Amino acid sequence: MKIVEGVNLHLIKVQKFKNNHLTLRFTGERLKKTLAKRVLVAQMLATANADYPTSQKFRKALAQLYGTNLSTSLSTKGKAHILDIDLEFINPTYLDEQGFQHKIFELLYTILYRPLITLEQFQSKVFDVEKANLMSYLESDKEDPFYTSELNLYDLFYQDENLKISKFANVDLVEQENSFTAYQEFQRMLREDQIDIFILGEFESALILEEINRFPFQARKVYKFVNYSQEVFNVTKEKLGRRNDYQSILQLAYHLPLTYGHKDFPVALVLNGMLGGFAHSRLFTQVREKEGLAYSIGSQVHPYTDLLQVYAGIDRHQREKTLRMINREWHYLKSGRFSSQLLRQSKQLLLNNYALAEDSPKTLIERRYNKLYLGQQDQNPSTWAEKISRVTKADIMQLARNIHLQALYYLEGDK
């Protein structure tokens, strides 16, 4: 339901949840120059505002709204950077109190239009604390070898500079920002980002629309979401790093010739499940359990970019043997040397996971967003299940033959 151009309201009526869920989503372009600002905005919006100028007062106000839960989160979808404001609150039909739902929307209004500012910038005292917290968090992430090796892999694989950086930015980018630049970015988001408001649960549509119409949203351009794809290189990029650790990390990036919404995307999901996505997968059972080469190993598809990632925590003396074993498993997929049971198990687990996700309000909201903006018009469970069930051995073989290794990052432990 269009409120103004670029601002839409989505009503999802379900009766199986005790609480209602409200998500206001900002969608903007994923740019290196704005990442840190947007992360800082997310922290400020969840911490304080003009009506509740301290974290303690804000949390007390939420508690008085029958334990309403507020959070902000960040995600990426290809070339999009997304900031969500999430409110989970008790279904008003369970309460005798009149006007409870109005209080929820008044709180959202406060978060958006009465932020904690001094002149034209976020209040410096609170902002400086949140900035320090973010930098501390990002510094601690550097101690995680899987995280740091993953970022190095992205730096090798992606040709677009904006996709090389974590959705949470990095210490150097955060250091450059201040209370003024972050607040100006927030104001730009309010004016220019695509905004989607999702209400999930039990409610009266007319009352929701009446509340939303109070918000002074201005028309803006609709964000033209596109999945990110890049050309295939014939040469594999390689890089070596070293770390004072007992474990070494091997990260491999493969070019996947499709992204979310492609008719063969279900094939990619099944292939990933067979390769390293599940505990019964070939990498797990053969490389880790049978050969004992990896402390941990797996694979994942990045749905909105053409990346299939394989990762392994290994002993530094086992790098070459592990690589040979991973290459062998790819050869088996390409040549059809895998059991029908492996194919069947992978499809069944995907179907089970899809069904279980129906119990997550956030997943239902995500599916609605994808259906509207990513060209996936057949996301009802029966159609999706049918597509997974139809994946054949020949489909797996054909796709595997078109997947190419593009980048290798090796973080060697030197203990």
Short mmCIF file of all heavy atoms in Angstrom, two decimals, residues 113-170:
data_model
loop_
_atom_site.label_atom_id
_atom_site.label_comp_id
_atom_site.label_asym_id
_atom_site.label_seq_id
_atom_site.Cartn_x
_atom_site.Cartn_y
_atom_site.Cartn_z
N TYR A 113 11.40 11.20 14.52
CA TYR A 113 11.27 12.64 14.36
C TYR A 113 11.60 13.45 15.61
O TYR A 113 11.58 14.69 15.58
CB TYR A 113 9.87 13.00 13.87
CG TYR A 113 9.60 12.42 12.51
CD1 TYR A 113 8.75 11.32 12.34
CD2 TYR A 113 10.22 12.93 11.37
CE1 TYR A 113 8.52 10.77 11.09
CE2 TYR A 113 10.00 12.40 10.13
CZ TYR A 113 9.15 11.32 9.99
OH TYR A 113 8.93 10.77 8.73
N ARG A 114 11.94 12.76 16.70
CA ARG A 114 12.40 13.48 17.90
C ARG A 114 13.69 12.82 18.41
O ARG A 114 13.76 12.37 19.56
CB ARG A 114 11.32 13.49 18.98
CG ARG A 114 10.12 14.35 18.60
CD ARG A 114 9.24 14.69 19.79
NE ARG A 114 8.45 13.56 20.25
CZ ARG A 114 7.25 13.23 19.77
NH1 ARG A 114 6.71 13.96 18.80
NH2 ARG A 114 6.59 12.19 20.25
N PRO A 115 14.70 12.73 17.54
CA PRO A 115 15.96 12.12 17.97
C PRO A 115 16.67 12.99 19.01
O PRO A 115 16.32 14.17 19.20
CB PRO A 115 16.76 12.03 16.67
CG PRO A 115 16.25 13.15 15.84
CD PRO A 115 14.77 13.25 16.16
N LEU A 116 17.65 12.41 19.66
CA LEU A 116 18.41 13.14 20.68
C LEU A 116 19.48 13.97 19.98
O LEU A 116 20.53 13.46 19.59
CB LEU A 116 19.05 12.15 21.66
CG LEU A 116 19.78 12.77 22.87
CD1 LEU A 116 18.81 13.57 23.73
CD2 LEU A 116 20.47 11.68 23.68
N ILE A 117 19.21 15.28 19.84
CA ILE A 117 20.14 16.15 19.10
C ILE A 117 20.41 17.44 19.86
O ILE A 117 19.65 17.83 20.75
CB ILE A 117 19.60 16.50 17.70
CG1 ILE A 117 18.27 17.26 17.80
CG2 ILE A 117 19.44 15.25 16.85
CD1 ILE A 117 17.78 17.82 16.45
N THR A 118 21.50 18.06 19.51
CA THR A 118 21.83 19.42 19.92
C THR A 118 22.13 20.19 18.64
O THR A 118 23.07 19.85 17.91
CB THR A 118 23.06 19.44 20.84
OG1 THR A 118 22.81 18.61 21.97
CG2 THR A 118 23.35 20.86 21.31
N LEU A 119 21.33 21.19 18.37
CA LEU A 119 21.39 21.89 17.09
C LEU A 119 21.22 20.88 15.96
O LEU A 119 20.25 20.15 15.93
CB LEU A 119 22.70 22.68 16.98
CG LEU A 119 22.90 23.77 18.05
CD1 LEU A 119 24.26 24.44 17.90
CD2 LEU A 119 21.78 24.80 17.99
N GLU A 120 22.13 20.79 15.03
CA GLU A 120 21.97 19.90 13.88
C GLU A 120 22.90 18.69 13.95
O GLU A 120 23.49 18.28 12.95
CB GLU A 120 22.21 20.67 12.58
CG GLU A 120 21.11 21.65 12.25
CD GLU A 120 19.75 20.98 12.07
OE1 GLU A 120 19.67 20.01 11.30
OE2 GLU A 120 18.79 21.42 12.74
N GLN A 121 23.03 18.13 15.15
CA GLN A 121 23.85 16.94 15.30
C GLN A 121 23.34 16.12 16.48
O GLN A 121 22.63 16.64 17.34
CB GLN A 121 25.31 17.32 15.52
CG GLN A 121 25.55 18.15 16.78
CD GLN A 121 26.99 18.65 16.85
OE1 GLN A 121 27.59 18.96 15.84
NE2 GLN A 121 27.53 18.72 18.06
N PHE A 122 23.67 14.82 16.49
CA PHE A 122 23.31 14.00 17.64
C PHE A 122 23.99 14.57 18.89
O PHE A 122 25.09 15.13 18.82
CB PHE A 122 23.74 12.55 17.44
CG PHE A 122 22.88 11.77 16.48
CD1 PHE A 122 23.42 11.22 15.33
CD2 PHE A 122 21.52 11.58 16.73
CE1 PHE A 122 22.64 10.50 14.44
CE2 PHE A 122 20.72 10.86 15.85
CZ PHE A 122 21.28 10.32 14.71
N GLN A 123 23.33 14.42 20.03
CA GLN A 123 23.91 14.87 21.29
C GLN A 123 25.25 14.20 21.51
O GLN A 123 25.35 12.97 21.53
CB GLN A 123 22.95 14.56 22.44
CG GLN A 123 23.21 15.40 23.66
CD GLN A 123 23.67 14.53 24.82
OE1 GLN A 123 24.60 13.74 24.67
NE2 GLN A 123 22.99 14.66 25.94
N SER A 124 26.30 14.98 21.65
CA SER A 124 27.67 14.47 21.59
C SER A 124 28.00 13.47 22.68
O SER A 124 28.70 12.48 22.45
CB SER A 124 28.67 15.63 21.65
OG SER A 124 28.52 16.45 20.52
N LYS A 125 27.51 13.70 23.89
CA LYS A 125 27.87 12.83 25.01
C LYS A 125 27.43 11.39 24.75
O LYS A 125 28.22 10.45 24.90
CB LYS A 125 27.26 13.36 26.30
CG LYS A 125 27.66 12.56 27.53
CD LYS A 125 27.04 13.17 28.79
CE LYS A 125 27.44 12.35 30.02
NZ LYS A 125 26.86 12.93 31.28
N VAL A 126 26.17 11.21 24.36
CA VAL A 126 25.66 9.87 24.09
C VAL A 126 26.30 9.30 22.82
O VAL A 126 26.68 8.14 22.76
CB VAL A 126 24.12 9.89 23.96
CG1 VAL A 126 23.59 8.52 23.53
CG2 VAL A 126 23.49 10.31 25.27
N PHE A 127 26.43 10.16 21.80
CA PHE A 127 27.01 9.70 20.54
C PHE A 127 28.43 9.18 20.74
O PHE A 127 28.80 8.13 20.20
CB PHE A 127 27.01 10.82 19.51
CG PHE A 127 27.64 10.43 18.20
CD1 PHE A 127 26.90 9.79 17.22
CD2 PHE A 127 28.99 10.66 17.96
CE1 PHE A 127 27.48 9.40 16.02
CE2 PHE A 127 29.59 10.29 16.76
CZ PHE A 127 28.83 9.65 15.79
N ASP A 128 29.23 9.90 21.51
CA ASP A 128 30.62 9.50 21.71
C ASP A 128 30.71 8.14 22.39
O ASP A 128 31.61 7.34 22.09
CB ASP A 128 31.37 10.56 22.53
CG ASP A 128 31.61 11.85 21.74
OD1 ASP A 128 31.47 11.82 20.50
OD2 ASP A 128 31.91 12.88 22.37
N VAL A 129 29.79 7.87 23.31
CA VAL A 129 29.76 6.56 23.97
C VAL A 129 29.42 5.47 22.97
O VAL A 129 30.06 4.41 22.93
CB VAL A 129 28.75 6.56 25.14
CG1 VAL A 129 28.54 5.13 25.67
CG2 VAL A 129 29.20 7.48 26.25
N GLU A 130 28.42 5.72 22.13
CA GLU A 130 28.00 4.72 21.14
C GLU A 130 29.10 4.50 20.09
O GLU A 130 29.33 3.37 19.65
CB GLU A 130 26.70 5.15 20.45
CG GLU A 130 25.49 5.12 21.37
CD GLU A 130 25.29 3.77 22.01
OE1 GLU A 130 25.33 2.75 21.28
OE2 GLU A 130 25.11 3.71 23.24
N LYS A 131 29.77 5.55 19.71
CA LYS A 131 30.87 5.42 18.75
C LYS A 131 32.00 4.59 19.35
O LYS A 131 32.55 3.70 18.69
CB LYS A 131 31.38 6.80 18.34
CG LYS A 131 32.56 6.76 17.37
CD LYS A 131 32.99 8.17 16.96
CE LYS A 131 34.23 8.12 16.07
NZ LYS A 131 34.65 9.46 15.61
N ALA A 132 32.32 4.84 20.61
CA ALA A 132 33.37 4.07 21.28
C ALA A 132 32.97 2.61 21.41
O ALA A 132 33.81 1.71 21.23
CB ALA A 132 33.66 4.67 22.66
N ASN A 133 31.71 2.37 21.72
CA ASN A 133 31.22 0.99 21.82
C ASN A 133 31.35 0.26 20.48
O ASN A 133 31.75 -0.91 20.43
CB ASN A 133 29.77 0.96 22.28
CG ASN A 133 29.60 1.35 23.73
OD1 ASN A 133 30.57 1.31 24.50
ND2 ASN A 133 28.39 1.73 24.11
N LEU A 134 30.99 0.96 19.40
CA LEU A 134 31.08 0.35 18.08
C LEU A 134 32.53 0.05 17.72
O LEU A 134 32.84 -1.03 17.19
CB LEU A 134 30.45 1.28 17.03
CG LEU A 134 30.55 0.83 15.58
CD1 LEU A 134 29.90 -0.54 15.38
CD2 LEU A 134 29.92 1.86 14.64
N MET A 135 33.41 0.98 17.99
CA MET A 135 34.82 0.75 17.66
C MET A 135 35.40 -0.40 18.48
O MET A 135 36.19 -1.20 17.98
CB MET A 135 35.62 2.03 17.88
CG MET A 135 35.26 3.12 16.89
SD MET A 135 36.24 4.62 17.06
CE MET A 135 37.85 4.04 16.59
N SER A 136 34.98 -0.51 19.74
CA SER A 136 35.43 -1.61 20.57
C SER A 136 34.93 -2.95 20.02
O SER A 136 35.67 -3.94 19.99
CB SER A 136 34.92 -1.42 22.01
OG SER A 136 35.27 -2.51 22.82
N TYR A 137 33.68 -2.95 19.57
CA TYR A 137 33.10 -4.16 18.97
C TYR A 137 33.86 -4.56 17.71
O TYR A 137 34.18 -5.74 17.51
CB TYR A 137 31.63 -3.89 18.65
CG TYR A 137 30.96 -4.92 17.80
CD1 TYR A 137 30.50 -6.12 18.34
CD2 TYR A 137 30.76 -4.71 16.43
CE1 TYR A 137 29.88 -7.08 17.55
CE2 TYR A 137 30.16 -5.65 15.64
CZ TYR A 137 29.70 -6.84 16.21
OH TYR A 137 29.09 -7.78 15.41
N LEU A 138 34.16 -3.59 16.87
CA LEU A 138 34.88 -3.88 15.63
C LEU A 138 36.32 -4.32 15.90
O LEU A 138 36.85 -5.18 15.19
CB LEU A 138 34.86 -2.65 14.72
CG LEU A 138 33.49 -2.27 14.16
CD1 LEU A 138 33.54 -0.91 13.46
CD2 LEU A 138 32.96 -3.33 13.20
N GLU A 139 36.93 -3.75 16.92
CA GLU A 139 38.28 -4.17 17.29
C GLU A 139 38.29 -5.61 17.80
O GLU A 139 39.19 -6.39 17.48
CB GLU A 139 38.85 -3.24 18.37
CG GLU A 139 39.25 -1.86 17.88
CD GLU A 139 40.56 -1.88 17.08
OE1 GLU A 139 41.15 -2.96 16.90
OE2 GLU A 139 40.99 -0.79 16.64
N SER A 140 37.26 -5.98 18.57
CA SER A 140 37.19 -7.34 19.10
C SER A 140 36.96 -8.35 17.98
O SER A 140 37.42 -9.49 18.07
CB SER A 140 36.09 -7.45 20.16
OG SER A 140 34.80 -7.28 19.58
N ASP A 141 36.26 -7.92 16.92
CA ASP A 141 36.03 -8.81 15.78
C ASP A 141 37.33 -9.21 15.10
O ASP A 141 37.43 -10.28 14.50
CB ASP A 141 35.11 -8.15 14.76
CG ASP A 141 33.65 -8.41 15.06
OD1 ASP A 141 33.36 -9.32 15.86
OD2 ASP A 141 32.80 -7.71 14.50
N LYS A 142 38.35 -8.34 15.22
CA LYS A 142 39.63 -8.64 14.59
C LYS A 142 40.29 -9.86 15.23
O LYS A 142 41.18 -10.48 14.65
CB LYS A 142 40.56 -7.44 14.71
CG LYS A 142 40.16 -6.24 13.87
CD LYS A 142 41.15 -5.10 14.04
CE LYS A 142 40.77 -3.88 13.23
NZ LYS A 142 41.73 -2.76 13.41
N GLU A 143 39.84 -10.22 16.45
CA GLU A 143 40.40 -11.37 17.14
C GLU A 143 39.80 -12.68 16.65
O GLU A 143 40.28 -13.75 17.00
CB GLU A 143 40.18 -11.24 18.66
CG GLU A 143 40.81 -9.99 19.27
CD GLU A 143 42.30 -9.90 18.98
OE1 GLU A 143 42.99 -10.91 19.19
OE2 GLU A 143 42.75 -8.82 18.53
N ASP A 144 38.73 -12.59 15.87
CA ASP A 144 38.08 -13.78 15.32
C ASP A 144 38.72 -14.13 13.98
O ASP A 144 38.52 -13.41 13.00
CB ASP A 144 36.59 -13.51 15.15
CG ASP A 144 35.82 -14.73 14.64
OD1 ASP A 144 36.46 -15.67 14.12
OD2 ASP A 144 34.58 -14.74 14.74
N PRO A 145 39.48 -15.22 13.91
CA PRO A 145 40.20 -15.52 12.66
C PRO A 145 39.28 -15.82 11.48
O PRO A 145 39.61 -15.50 10.34
CB PRO A 145 41.05 -16.75 13.03
CG PRO A 145 40.37 -17.35 14.22
CD PRO A 145 39.77 -16.21 14.96
N PHE A 146 38.11 -16.42 11.75
CA PHE A 146 37.18 -16.70 10.66
C PHE A 146 36.63 -15.40 10.08
O PHE A 146 36.48 -15.25 8.87
CB PHE A 146 36.04 -17.60 11.14
CG PHE A 146 36.33 -19.06 11.00
CD1 PHE A 146 36.78 -19.80 12.09
CD2 PHE A 146 36.18 -19.71 9.78
CE1 PHE A 146 37.07 -21.15 11.96
CE2 PHE A 146 36.46 -21.06 9.64
CZ PHE A 146 36.91 -21.79 10.74
N TYR A 147 36.31 -14.45 10.97
CA TYR A 147 35.76 -13.18 10.52
C TYR A 147 36.78 -12.40 9.69
O TYR A 147 36.47 -11.90 8.61
CB TYR A 147 35.31 -12.36 11.73
CG TYR A 147 34.72 -11.01 11.39
CD1 TYR A 147 33.44 -10.91 10.86
CD2 TYR A 147 35.44 -9.84 11.61
CE1 TYR A 147 32.89 -9.67 10.55
CE2 TYR A 147 34.90 -8.60 11.31
CZ TYR A 147 33.63 -8.52 10.78
OH TYR A 147 33.09 -7.29 10.48
N THR A 148 38.00 -12.29 10.20
CA THR A 148 39.02 -11.52 9.49
C THR A 148 39.40 -12.18 8.16
O THR A 148 39.60 -11.51 7.15
CB THR A 148 40.28 -11.34 10.35
OG1 THR A 148 40.74 -12.62 10.79
CG2 THR A 148 39.98 -10.48 11.57
N SER A 149 39.47 -13.52 8.15
CA SER A 149 39.81 -14.21 6.90
C SER A 149 38.68 -14.07 5.89
O SER A 149 38.92 -13.97 4.68
CB SER A 149 40.12 -15.68 7.17
OG SER A 149 39.00 -16.37 7.70
N GLU A 150 37.45 -14.05 6.38
CA GLU A 150 36.30 -13.88 5.50
C GLU A 150 36.33 -12.51 4.82
O GLU A 150 36.11 -12.39 3.61
CB GLU A 150 35.01 -14.06 6.30
CG GLU A 150 33.75 -14.14 5.46
CD GLU A 150 32.56 -14.53 6.30
OE1 GLU A 150 32.12 -13.69 7.12
OE2 GLU A 150 32.07 -15.67 6.17
N LEU A 151 36.63 -11.47 5.59
CA LEU A 151 36.71 -10.13 5.01
C LEU A 151 37.83 -10.03 3.99
O LEU A 151 37.70 -9.36 2.97
CB LEU A 151 36.91 -9.09 6.11
CG LEU A 151 35.71 -8.81 7.02
CD1 LEU A 151 36.04 -7.73 8.04
CD2 LEU A 151 34.47 -8.42 6.22
N ASN A 152 38.93 -10.71 4.26
CA ASN A 152 40.03 -10.73 3.29
C ASN A 152 39.63 -11.46 2.01
O ASN A 152 40.05 -11.08 0.91
CB ASN A 152 41.27 -11.36 3.91
CG ASN A 152 42.09 -10.39 4.72
OD1 ASN A 152 42.78 -9.53 4.18
ND2 ASN A 152 41.99 -10.49 6.03
N LEU A 153 38.81 -12.50 2.16
CA LEU A 153 38.32 -13.21 0.98
C LEU A 153 37.42 -12.29 0.14
O LEU A 153 37.54 -12.24 -1.09
CB LEU A 153 37.53 -14.46 1.39
CG LEU A 153 37.01 -15.30 0.23
CD1 LEU A 153 38.15 -16.07 -0.43
CD2 LEU A 153 35.92 -16.27 0.69
N TYR A 154 36.52 -11.55 0.80
CA TYR A 154 35.64 -10.63 0.09
C TYR A 154 36.45 -9.56 -0.64
O TYR A 154 36.10 -9.16 -1.76
CB TYR A 154 34.67 -9.94 1.05
CG TYR A 154 33.73 -10.88 1.77
CD1 TYR A 154 33.07 -10.48 2.94
CD2 TYR A 154 33.51 -12.18 1.32
CE1 TYR A 154 32.21 -11.33 3.61
CE2 TYR A 154 32.66 -13.04 1.99
CZ TYR A 154 32.01 -12.61 3.13
OH TYR A 154 31.17 -13.45 3.81
N ASP A 155 37.53 -9.11 0.00
CA ASP A 155 38.38 -8.11 -0.62
C ASP A 155 39.00 -8.65 -1.91
O ASP A 155 39.15 -7.91 -2.90
CB ASP A 155 39.47 -7.69 0.36
CG ASP A 155 40.33 -6.56 -0.19
OD1 ASP A 155 39.79 -5.47 -0.42
OD2 ASP A 155 41.53 -6.80 -0.42
N LEU A 156 39.34 -9.93 -1.92
CA LEU A 156 39.90 -10.54 -3.13
C LEU A 156 38.83 -10.79 -4.18
O LEU A 156 39.05 -10.57 -5.37
CB LEU A 156 40.55 -11.89 -2.77
CG LEU A 156 41.91 -11.87 -2.06
CD1 LEU A 156 42.32 -13.30 -1.74
CD2 LEU A 156 42.96 -11.21 -2.92
N PHE A 157 37.67 -11.24 -3.76
CA PHE A 157 36.65 -11.71 -4.69
C PHE A 157 35.88 -10.58 -5.37
O PHE A 157 35.74 -10.54 -6.60
CB PHE A 157 35.67 -12.64 -3.98
CG PHE A 157 34.51 -13.08 -4.84
CD1 PHE A 157 34.68 -14.07 -5.81
CD2 PHE A 157 33.24 -12.54 -4.69
CE1 PHE A 157 33.63 -14.49 -6.61
CE2 PHE A 157 32.18 -12.95 -5.49
CZ PHE A 157 32.37 -13.93 -6.45
N TYR A 158 35.36 -9.65 -4.57
CA TYR A 158 34.46 -8.64 -5.13
C TYR A 158 35.23 -7.58 -5.92
O TYR A 158 36.24 -7.06 -5.46
CB TYR A 158 33.64 -7.96 -4.03
CG TYR A 158 32.58 -8.86 -3.45
CD1 TYR A 158 32.59 -9.18 -2.10
CD2 TYR A 158 31.57 -9.39 -4.24
CE1 TYR A 158 31.61 -10.00 -1.55
CE2 TYR A 158 30.59 -10.22 -3.71
CZ TYR A 158 30.62 -10.52 -2.36
OH TYR A 158 29.65 -11.34 -1.82
N GLN A 159 34.72 -7.26 -7.09
CA GLN A 159 35.32 -6.23 -7.92
C GLN A 159 34.78 -4.83 -7.58
O GLN A 159 35.40 -3.83 -7.91
CB GLN A 159 35.07 -6.57 -9.40
CG GLN A 159 35.72 -7.87 -9.83
CD GLN A 159 35.16 -8.42 -11.12
OE1 GLN A 159 34.67 -7.68 -11.97
NE2 GLN A 159 35.21 -9.74 -11.29
N ASP A 160 33.63 -4.78 -6.92
CA ASP A 160 33.04 -3.52 -6.49
C ASP A 160 33.57 -3.19 -5.09
O ASP A 160 33.39 -3.95 -4.14
CB ASP A 160 31.51 -3.64 -6.46
CG ASP A 160 30.81 -2.33 -6.15
OD1 ASP A 160 31.35 -1.53 -5.36
OD2 ASP A 160 29.71 -2.11 -6.68
N GLU A 161 34.22 -2.04 -4.95
CA GLU A 161 34.84 -1.66 -3.69
C GLU A 161 33.83 -1.59 -2.54
O GLU A 161 34.18 -1.81 -1.39
CB GLU A 161 35.54 -0.29 -3.84
CG GLU A 161 36.77 -0.31 -4.72
CD GLU A 161 37.88 -1.14 -4.14
OE1 GLU A 161 38.09 -1.09 -2.90
OE2 GLU A 161 38.55 -1.86 -4.91
N ASN A 162 32.59 -1.27 -2.85
CA ASN A 162 31.58 -1.11 -1.81
C ASN A 162 31.17 -2.42 -1.16
O ASN A 162 30.60 -2.43 -0.07
CB ASN A 162 30.34 -0.42 -2.39
CG ASN A 162 30.64 0.97 -2.90
OD1 ASN A 162 31.11 1.82 -2.15
ND2 ASN A 162 30.42 1.20 -4.18
N LEU A 163 31.43 -3.54 -1.83
CA LEU A 163 31.06 -4.84 -1.29
C LEU A 163 32.19 -5.51 -0.52
O LEU A 163 32.01 -6.58 0.06
CB LEU A 163 30.59 -5.78 -2.41
CG LEU A 163 29.11 -5.67 -2.80
CD1 LEU A 163 28.81 -4.34 -3.45
CD2 LEU A 163 28.69 -6.81 -3.69
N LYS A 164 33.34 -4.91 -0.51
CA LYS A 164 34.49 -5.48 0.19
C LYS A 164 34.43 -5.26 1.70
O LYS A 164 35.14 -5.90 2.47
CB LYS A 164 35.79 -4.87 -0.35
CG LYS A 164 36.09 -5.17 -1.82
CD LYS A 164 37.33 -4.41 -2.28
CE LYS A 164 37.65 -4.66 -3.75
NZ LYS A 164 38.25 -5.97 -3.99
N ILE A 165 33.57 -4.33 2.12
CA ILE A 165 33.52 -3.90 3.53
C ILE A 165 32.35 -4.57 4.24
O ILE A 165 31.28 -4.77 3.67
CB ILE A 165 33.35 -2.36 3.62
CG1 ILE A 165 34.38 -1.65 2.74
CG2 ILE A 165 33.45 -1.89 5.06
CD1 ILE A 165 35.80 -1.84 3.16
N SER A 166 32.55 -4.90 5.51
CA SER A 166 31.49 -5.46 6.34
C SER A 166 30.29 -4.52 6.41
O SER A 166 30.44 -3.30 6.33
CB SER A 166 32.01 -5.72 7.75
OG SER A 166 30.96 -5.87 8.68
N LYS A 167 29.10 -5.09 6.60
CA LYS A 167 27.89 -4.27 6.76
C LYS A 167 27.97 -3.37 7.99
O LYS A 167 27.23 -2.39 8.12
CB LYS A 167 26.66 -5.16 6.86
CG LYS A 167 26.66 -6.09 8.07
CD LYS A 167 25.50 -7.06 8.02
CE LYS A 167 25.58 -8.07 9.15
NZ LYS A 167 24.51 -9.10 9.06
N PHE A 168 28.90 -3.69 8.92
CA PHE A 168 29.09 -2.87 10.11
C PHE A 168 30.24 -1.87 9.95
O PHE A 168 30.67 -1.26 10.91
CB PHE A 168 29.37 -3.76 11.32
CG PHE A 168 28.26 -4.72 11.63
CD1 PHE A 168 28.46 -6.09 11.48
CD2 PHE A 168 27.04 -4.27 12.06
CE1 PHE A 168 27.45 -6.98 11.76
CE2 PHE A 168 26.01 -5.16 12.34
CZ PHE A 168 26.22 -6.52 12.19
N ALA A 169 30.74 -1.71 8.72
CA ALA A 169 31.87 -0.82 8.42
C ALA A 169 33.14 -1.39 9.05
O ALA A 169 33.25 -2.58 9.30
CB ALA A 169 31.58 0.60 8.87
N ASN A 170 34.12 -0.51 9.32
CA ASN A 170 35.34 -0.93 10.01
C ASN A 170 35.84 0.21 10.87
O ASN A 170 35.30 1.33 10.84
CB ASN A 170 36.41 -1.39 9.01
CG ASN A 170 36.78 -0.33 7.99
OD1 ASN A 170 36.87 0.85 8.32
ND2 ASN A 170 37.01 -0.73 6.74
#
